[in-house]
């Protein structure tokens, strides 16, 4: 698969595309821009790019395309994949995984940097790594709900402390997050934003989280139906996140899921689930995976999203549990 960039707006697309989906110009003469073209995100000129490659206007940093796919493989049971997708300039998602073998504890964290914020990629990486480390240090605590809240508070402080260039075109670094710590047959899952957790097995397909989003809230309040709300320009607006400008005293939503048997715990960003209307659709994809190990399932799901257009960054983490 060959990826090109539009010479007019910088959007990514397949080499076989004839027109740019973002700005509509023909692509017959397009070629990937270089750093001499200025900022890929906001369009500022080369004079706005500092010595380290950051845009003084929006804080975006152009990076090598080679670093825009991440695979984390702990073993056949625990793995994940994060991919830039086909339309974004960089990968602003991140994932972190940890398995503590002596206690059979597994930790999964997936983050989706808010694209309107400065250094969204760094916000996602900082949050994912901070929460994973905090939960690794706290896995022996009896109250894992409290451990999740504490880990999120640590990550929030770390993201809020990130330096960035303040301007009118971007918000402070921020990210969504979903994290799970799994032990003794229970998954304790916390989240802020619209990154999700699912349980997929031969007998059950469930979405375990409820998005912190405008759409979810207006539907829950009975103000609109899902069909009505999804037509609104606010449909994908999140109402909670990690970052300096997050809602004051916003605590993570938490669910404790009793694992019913063999199956897959899947955490993902909206780059995947936007292409899936129901949890059962995700279940069908998992069942069709050519292999049953965690990384193969992760790759299958990422490739599905890429084949559907890859309009966003795509991140999937999978924990296979076998009785």
């Amino acid at each position: 698969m060959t990826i090109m960039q539009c010479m007019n707006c910088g959007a990514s697309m397949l080499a076989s595309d004839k027109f740019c989906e973002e700005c509509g110009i023909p692509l017959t003469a397009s070629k990937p821009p270089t750093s001499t073209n200025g900022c890929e995100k906001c369009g500022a000129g080369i004079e706005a790019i500092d010595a380290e490659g950051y845009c003084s206007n929006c804080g975006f940093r152009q990076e090598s395309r080679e670093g825009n796919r991440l695979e984390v493989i702990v073993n056949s049971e625990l793995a994940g994949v994060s991919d830039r997708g086909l339309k974004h300039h960089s990968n602003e998602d991140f994932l972190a995984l940890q398995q503590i073998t002596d206690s059979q504890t597994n930790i999964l964290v997936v983050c989706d940097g808010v694209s309107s914020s400065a250094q969204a990629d760094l916000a996602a990486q900082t949050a994912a790594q901070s929460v994973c480390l905090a939960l690794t240090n706290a896995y022996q605590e009896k109250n894992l709900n409290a451990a999740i809240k504490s880990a999120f508070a640590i990550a929030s402080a770390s993201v809020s402390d990130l330096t960035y260039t303040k301007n009118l075109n971007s918000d402070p670094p921020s990210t969504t997050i979903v994290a799970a710590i799994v032990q003794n047959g229970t998954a304790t899952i916390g989240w802020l934003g619209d990154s999700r957790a699912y349980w997929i097995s031969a007998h059950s397909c469930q979405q375990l989280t409820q998005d912190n989003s405008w759409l979810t809230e207006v539907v829950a309040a009975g103000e609109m139906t899902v069909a009505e709300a999804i037509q609104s320009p606010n449909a994908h607006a999140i109402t909670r996140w990690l970052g300096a400008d997050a809602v004051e005293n916003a605590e993570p939503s938490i669910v404790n899921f009793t694992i019913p048997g063999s199956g897959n715990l899947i955490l993902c960003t909206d780059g995947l689930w936007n292409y899936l209307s129901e949890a059962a659709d995700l279940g069908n994809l998992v069942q069709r995976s050519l292999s049953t190990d965690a990384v193969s399932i992760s790759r299958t799901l990422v490739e599905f999203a890429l084949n559907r257009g890859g309009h966003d960054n795509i991140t999937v983490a999978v924990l296979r549990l076998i009785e």
Side-chain angles (χ1 to χ4, degrees):
M1 177 167 50
T2 302
I3 299 173
M4 299 174 59
Q5 282 192 306
C6 173
M7 65 179 180
N8 182 56
C9 70
S12 301
M13 74 288 293
L14 295 175
S16 58
D17 289 348
K18 297 184 182 301
F19 294 89
C20 174
E21 290 190 11
E22 297 296 324
C23 67
I25 70 165
L27 302 177
T28 54
S30 66
K31 61 181 180 180
T34 67
S35 59
T36 58
N37 289 346
C39 180
E40 289 186 351
K41 185 170 185 179
C42 72
I46 184 60
E47 68 279 358
I49 309 301
D50 66 20
E52 296 182 347
Y54 287 100
C55 174
S56 60
N57 187 51
C58 71
F60 176 77
R61 185 183 188 187
Q62 181 173 327
E63 297 180 353
S64 168
R65 298 297 182 271
E66 295 178 358
N68 281 272
R69 184 176 175 106
L70 170 68
E71 293 196 354
V72 180
I73 306 171
V74 177
N75 52 36
S76 63
E77 300 170 349
L78 180 62
V81 176
S82 182
D83 192 282
R84 183 189 66 177
L86 302 179
K87 304 298 179 181
H88 277 236
H89 303 302
S90 63
N91 190 356
E92 296 173 341
D93 287 0
F94 204 81
L95 76 153
L97 306 172
Q98 180 67 50
Q99 187 172 75
I100 306 170
T101 55
D102 60 350
S103 67
Q104 295 184 326
T105 298
N106 291 280
I107 297 166
L108 304 83
V109 189
V110 164
C111 291
D112 180 354
V114 178
S115 59
S116 61
S117 71
Q119 299 197 73
D121 55 344
L122 186 56
Q125 180 177 352
T126 299
Q129 292 176 335
S130 296
V131 167
C132 190
L133 178 60
L135 291 179
T136 300
N137 292 334
Y139 78 95
Q140 292 179 314
E141 292 185 12
K142 292 183 179 180
N143 189 339
L144 292 181
N145 284 28
I148 288 275
K149 291 181 181 179
S150 176
F152 277 43
I154 292 170
S156 179
S158 297
V159 172
S160 297
D161 285 343
L162 293 173
T163 58
Y164 72 102
T165 302
K166 296 182 180 180
N167 59 75
L168 297 176
N169 296 316
S170 64
D171 300 318
S174 56
T175 183
T176 73
I177 184 169
V178 58
I181 180 167
V182 184
Q183 62 179 212
N184 300 324
T186 299
T188 303
I189 304 166
W191 71 96
L192 288 167
D194 60 358
S195 293
R196 293 180 177 179
Y198 292 86
W199 173 252
I200 303 297
S201 73
H203 309 292
S204 175
C205 299
Q206 303 176 54
Q207 180 182 328
L208 303 178
T209 56
Q210 293 295 321
D211 301 341
N212 300 137
S213 68
W214 177 88
L215 184 150
T216 299
E217 292 179 2
V218 297
V219 171
E223 299 173 6
M224 291 184 178
T225 65
V226 173
E228 292 169 339
I230 205 167
Q231 300 302 317
S232 169
N234 296 320
H236 293 284
I238 57 174
T239 54
R240 292 194 177 195
W241 59 88
L242 281 177
D245 63 343
V247 178
E248 187 176 359
N249 298 323
E251 291 190 347
S253 303
I254 297 178
V255 65
N256 296 286
F257 176 67
T258 301
I259 296 166
S262 298
N264 301 281
L265 178 65
I266 297 177
L267 274 56
C268 66
T269 60
D270 60 349
L272 173 65
W273 65 252
N274 268 329
Y275 295 114
L276 301 163
S277 59
E278 302 291 341
D281 298 327
L282 178 60
N284 290 334
L285 286 174
V286 172
Q287 296 301 321
R288 293 204 302 266
S289 178
L290 297 178
S291 181
T292 58
D293 63 278
V295 71
S296 294
I297 293 173
S298 300
R299 289 168 179 163
T300 294
L301 298 179
V302 168
E303 289 305 313
F304 164 79
L306 290 172
N307 289 335
R308 292 294 298 271
H311 284 80
D312 201 351
N313 305 149
I314 311 147
T315 300
V316 180
V318 176
L319 172 64
R320 283 189 51 76
L321 294 163
I322 303 173
E323 281 195 340

